[in-house]
Amino acid sequence: ETGVTQTPRHLVMGMTNKKSLKCEQHLGHNAMYWYKQSAKKPLELMFVYNFKEQTENNSVPSRFSPECPNSSHLFLHLHTLQPEDSALYLCASSQETQGVTGELFFGEGSRLTVL
Amino acid sequence: GESVGLHLPTLSVQEGDNSIINCAYSNSASDYFIWYKQESGKGPQFIIDIRSNMDKRQGQRVTVLLNKTVKHLSLQIAATQPGDSAVYFCADLMGGKLIFGQGTELSVKP
C-alpha cells in the first residue's frame, strides 16, 4: 500500500468512447501527477498539479483532459483516443513539486487498451 | 536535450550474488538522483536517493554510487534475492521534475 489508489486497474475502450481514470491519495500531499508508461520507453510526465492548480502540461494532446477538484483527487478524462494511447497510466503524489526530496509515491496504475 | 539512460535493458544474476545496475545522465546540473523499483503489476517504488554533494549512500542491502565526473550512477544490490526481480529506474531531479531512464529488468535465477 503506497497511499495512492488508482481505479480502474484495467480499462478497454473504443476510439469513440469517453472514460475517466481516477486517482486518490491518502498521504496529505499537495502535488499530484499523471505519468504515461509505454513498453520500452521511459516514464513520460503528462500533467502536474500543485495545490489543485495545473503547473505542468507536457504537450499532451487535448484528448487527455485532467481534472483536480482537490489536493487528494485527480482524474484523467479520456475521449476519442487512438490505439497508440494504449499504455499504463500512473498517478503519483509528492509533498510539493519543488520538494527537497523529490520522492514520488506512485499508484499501481491503470492499464488502458484502446481498440 | 536532457536524458537519463541505463546501460543494459536486462540483467540476469544468480540468487545470492551481487547485482550492479548502471545509469548515465546528461545534465551536469542535476543535483538529486533517485532509484525506483517496479515489480510486475505495480507502480514504481522508491529505493534510495543521493544528492550530488555525495558520492555514495547505503541503505539496507543497497548502495548507490555517484560519479559526477563521468555523469554515471549505479545501484548495487547485495545478496540478490528472488524478491529483487523487478524493473529498476534511475531518475534525476531538474527544475522540480523527475526525468526517468528507460529501466533495467533484473531477473534472479534460483
Side-chain angles (χ1 to χ4, degrees), chain A residues 50-66:
Chain A
N50 198 14
F51 293 98
K52 303 189 300 177
E53 299 299 319
Q54 187 181 118
T55 56
E56 181 87 24
N57 177 337
N58 201 23
S59 302
V60 180
S62 60
R63 57 187 185 269
F64 294 92
S65 174

Side-chain angles (χ1 to χ4, degrees), chain A residues 34-38 41-47 58, chain B residues 100:
Chain A
W34 280 116
Y35 279 85
K36 177 182 179 182
Q37 186 174 34
S38 305
K41 292 176 71 175
L43 272 73
E44 300 172 55
L45 179 64
M46 300 175 71
F47 300 103
N58 201 23
Chain B
F100 285 85

Side-chain angles (χ1 to χ4, degrees), chain A residues 2-16:
Chain A
T2 63
V4 180
T5 303
Q6 290 188 243
T7 55
R9 293 294 311 278
H10 300 273
L11 178 63
V12 179
M13 60 187 288
M15 288 191 285
T16 58

Side-chain angles (χ1 to χ4, degrees), chain B residues 6-102:
Chain B
L6 285 162
H7 292 186
L8 289 173
T10 61
L11 176 65
S12 183
V13 300
Q14 201 71 39
E15 182 178 355
D17 287 353
N18 296 335
S19 303
I20 300 176
I21 300 171
N22 296 302
C23 184
Y25 61 96
S26 62
N27 195 326
S28 57
S30 296
D31 60 3
Y32 179 65
F33 304 87
I34 305 180
W35 281 98
Y36 281 87
K37 171 187 180 183
Q38 186 174 21
E39 296 176 76
S40 180
K42 296 187 177 182
Q45 285 188 296
F46 173 91
I47 302 174
I48 192 168
D49 58 359
I50 189 168
R51 295 207 167 274
S52 59
N53 61 353
M54 305 171 70
D55 53 20
K56 180 178 180 179
R57 189 157 189 230
Q58 287 185 290
Q60 188 175 16
R61 281 201 308 117
V62 294
T63 301
V64 56
L65 300 177
L66 176 62
N67 186 329
K68 295 179 287 293
T69 302
V70 295
K71 291 184 282 190
H72 181 269
L73 191 68
S74 69
L75 177 71
Q76 300 179 2
I77 304 173
T80 312
Q81 302 169 1
D84 295 325
S85 294
V87 178
Y88 291 81
F89 298 93
C90 62
D92 72 329
L93 184 67
M94 272 295 298
K97 292 189 291 186
L98 275 179
I99 306 299
F100 285 85
Q102 198 161 334

Side-chain angles (χ1 to χ4, degrees), chain A residues 79-112:
Chain A
H79 61 99
T80 59
L81 294 192
Q82 305 297 312
E84 59 266 27
D85 296 322
S86 298
L88 182 68
Y89 288 85
L90 289 161
C91 173
S93 71
S94 69
Q95 185 60 43
E96 54 186 317
T97 55
Q98 304 290 335
V100 174
T101 65
E103 180 183 350
L104 298 181
F105 292 78
F106 285 89
E108 297 195 330
S110 294
R111 173 71 61 186
L112 173 67

